[in-house]
Amino acid sequence: RLAVIDSAHKNLTDLTTQVTTLRDVLSNKQTRGAFGQARMEAIVQDGMPKGSYEFQFTLSNKTRPDCVVFLPDTRPLVIDAKFPLEDYQRLQDAIENADAGAVEASRKAMETFFKAEAKSIRDKYIEPPHTLDFAILFVPTEGLYAEAVSRPGLADALQRDFRVMLAGPMNLQ
């Protein structure tokens, strides 16, 4: 029995170390961005034929989005990955603590983040006729995507005001 308990304790210790390492990785903005981009790349590579997409492609204005998908008329569809982890963690903490004011403040902060990123994507990457007249903002977790699209009017505002559509892992596939 002690051997079984000792083995379970070792497994729990290993899992704790892995979770701590993941938290440390995601706390760094650059590695978090790399995580979001890697998640997007895996989905695109799994679902698209080789040659129909390119990562870090240089557009005619010398900018480099995370990914472009080439359509039959060769105009690229831009996909850029974003991961507002701090805003999402604040929201989760506020929900857990049943703090309605903090929940709403966190949701507004996330909305502000998405609007700013959509504006940045529009300004840097949408340049018809060299690209399509819209782009995709990819968020790498379903929970974050669900929060974004559940915010009343946010997805519509991003499309209407910035010509940017939200996508999570499931609907990017």
Side-chain angles (χ1 to χ4, degrees), residues 22 24-37 83:
L22 179 60
D24 292 344
V25 165
L26 293 178
S27 68
N28 179 303
K29 268 192 169 178
Q30 285 184 316
T31 55
R32 184 171 59 242
F35 168 79
Q37 184 172 336
F83 194 3

Side-chain angles (χ1 to χ4, degrees), residues 12-127:
L12 186 57
T13 302
D14 291 345
L15 181 60
T16 301
T17 301
Q18 291 172 6
V19 168
T20 301
T21 302
L22 179 60
R23 187 188 69 224
D24 292 344
V25 165
L26 293 178
S27 68
N28 179 303
K29 268 192 169 178
Q30 285 184 316
T31 55
R32 184 171 59 242
F35 168 79
Q37 184 172 336
R39 185 97 194 259
M40 179 214 41
E41 286 180 7
I43 292 168
V44 170
Q45 287 172 332
D46 285 347
M48 302 290 298
K50 266 203 181 317
S52 66
Y53 61 87
E54 189 171 326
F55 303 114
Q56 301 299 317
F57 176 78
T58 302
L59 297 173
S60 62
N61 65 3
K62 306 296 185 234
T63 59
R64 296 178 66 161
D66 293 331
C67 177
V68 297
V69 175
F70 300 106
L71 299 180
D73 68 358
T74 70
R75 290 180 306 154
L77 166 62
V78 171
I79 305 173
D80 209 49
K82 302 296 177 191
F83 194 3
L85 182 63
E86 292 90 356
D87 292 332
Y88 186 57
Q89 285 177 327
R90 276 192 292 278
L91 175 60
Q92 295 306 309
D93 291 344
I95 291 170
E96 187 176 306
N97 295 324
D99 184 342
V103 167
E104 184 56 24
S106 297
R107 286 186 171 143
K108 283 186 187 223
M110 281 182 34
E111 183 173 336
T112 299
F113 172 86
F114 282 118
K115 285 181 177 179
E117 291 301 330
K119 181 182 182 314
S120 175
I121 288 169
R122 179 198 64 197
D123 293 348
K124 289 195 298 192
Y125 305 133
I126 299 176
E127 54 169 6

Side-chain angles (χ1 to χ4, degrees), residues 153 155-164:
D156 290 338
L158 296 182
Q159 289 178 27
R160 179 187 63 244
D161 300 340
F162 306 106
R163 298 185 318 270
V164 172

